[in-house]
Amino acid sequence: QKEVEQNSGPLSVPEGAIASLNCTYSDRVSQSFFWYRQYSGKSPELIMSIYSNGDKEDGRFTAQLNKASQYVSLLIRDSQPSDSATYLCAVNIEREKLTFGTGTRLTIIP
Amino acid sequence: EPEVTQTPSHQVTQMGQEVILRCVPISNHLYFYWYRQILGQKVEFLVSFYNNEISEKSEIFDDQFSVERPDGSNFTLKIRSTKLEDSAMYFCATGQTNTGELFFGEGSRLTVL
């Protein structure tokens, strides 16, 4: 079965520090990778997409992709209390279908 | 900012009843999806819809489920005869492309009693 794996957490990080979230996926042919943020009781919101190996930066967020290791990560610099949420890794494993991980719950401690 | 709108926000129904969940996609988006999330579990793909037909569906999307876009604006998910295990949050999502960069609606919470 094609899967996306994440550590469910909770992950606690002090305000101002770097939060590091990790995700592995099982299908080598996957081409598209995403990080969605989901606040409690709310819908997922796209924060980063990455399609090629290496780093992609957008403001305080950096996505990192290593296709050889089947690994994608998200770094959040200068963490803020508003970053407290569940972060969902999603992979486009099959043509029109996003497969989500279970999510990592992140808490930023003021 | 354009958004995906879903109605109703919450529906309570008796087992065996039909339910229709509605979604108004972002206007220039071409790809439409339904996902669901059972409380405390992961977001699961149900179906994708493009050019007025289903392009892909999951094993969850059995004969009890159907989708349509009858008037060119609303995108609907119908569950013909609800079961207890259909209780979940149902998210409509849309995209300009099929890459996976999706905009999600706020969800419709379905409770089956």
Side-chain angles (χ1 to χ4, degrees):
Chain A
Q1 179 145 357
K2 296 168 183 175
E3 294 285 347
V4 177
E5 302 284 344
Q6 293 182 256
N7 188 327
S8 61
L11 175 66
S12 297
V13 172
E15 183 175 355
I18 295 175
S20 177
L21 303 159
N22 304 313
C23 170
T24 58
Y25 59 94
S26 61
D27 188 2
R28 286 198 167 273
V29 303
S30 300
Q31 295 296 317
S32 309
F33 307 87
F34 308 90
W35 285 98
Y36 283 81
R37 177 175 62 199
Q38 187 174 31
Y39 292 113
S40 182
K42 300 293 187 183
S43 58
E45 174 192 9
L46 178 67
I47 52 172
M48 289 289 284
S49 59
I50 187 165
Y51 301 97
S52 54
N53 279 328
D55 294 1
K56 179 183 176 184
E57 189 174 315
D58 183 2
R60 296 185 297 112
F61 298 97
T62 300
Q64 300 174 315
L65 175 61
N66 183 326
K67 289 186 181 180
S69 301
Q70 295 175 236
Y71 177 92
V72 57
S73 65
L74 179 71
L75 300 178
I76 307 174
R77 286 182 301 282
D78 188 24
S79 298
Q80 303 295 310
S82 58
D83 294 327
S84 296
T86 297
Y87 288 81
L88 310 178
C89 175
V91 179
N92 211 339
I93 290 178
E94 293 173 53
R95 195 168 51 94
E96 296 266 346
K97 169 186 167 180
L98 270 188
T99 299
F100 284 84
T102 52
T104 298
R105 189 151 53 95
L106 174 67
T107 301
I108 306 301
I109 304 165
Chain B
E1 188 172 315
E3 59 181 22
V4 177
T5 305
Q6 288 187 242
T7 54
S9 55
H10 189 191
Q11 179 149 1
V12 181
T13 190
Q14 295 292 322
M15 192 169 56
Q17 295 297 301
E18 176 182 283
V19 159
I20 297 176
L21 306 179
R22 291 182 171 81
C23 169
V24 178
I26 293 173
S27 61
N28 63 343
H29 285 189
L30 302 176
Y31 295 86
F32 312 126
Y33 306 83
W34 285 100
Y35 284 80
R36 79 171 186 190
Q37 188 174 31
I38 294 170
L39 189 63
Q41 298 188 24
K42 64 170 104 175
V43 176
E44 299 176 289
F45 170 81
L46 292 178
V47 66
S48 58
F49 190 85
Y50 170 72
N51 202 24
N52 280 318
E53 59 182 27
I54 290 173
S55 42
E56 198 153 343
K57 59 184 180 179
S58 71
E59 300 107 5
I60 303 167
F61 195 88
D62 61 21
D63 291 344
Q64 294 302 310
F65 290 86
S66 62
V67 289
E68 61 177 4
R69 197 172 179 226
D71 55 9
S73 60
N74 285 302
F75 175 50
T76 63
L77 174 69
K78 182 192 290 187
I79 309 174
R80 256 180 281 282
S81 177
T82 49
K83 303 188 276 283
L84 294 176
E85 54 264 37
D86 293 329
S87 294
M89 182 72 90
Y90 288 80
F91 293 112
C92 175
T94 72
Q96 282 184 303
T97 66
N98 63 348
T99 57
E101 296 186 5
L102 302 181
F103 289 77
F104 281 78
E106 286 301 310
S108 294
R109 178 167 296 286
L110 176 64
T111 302
V112 182
L113 303 176

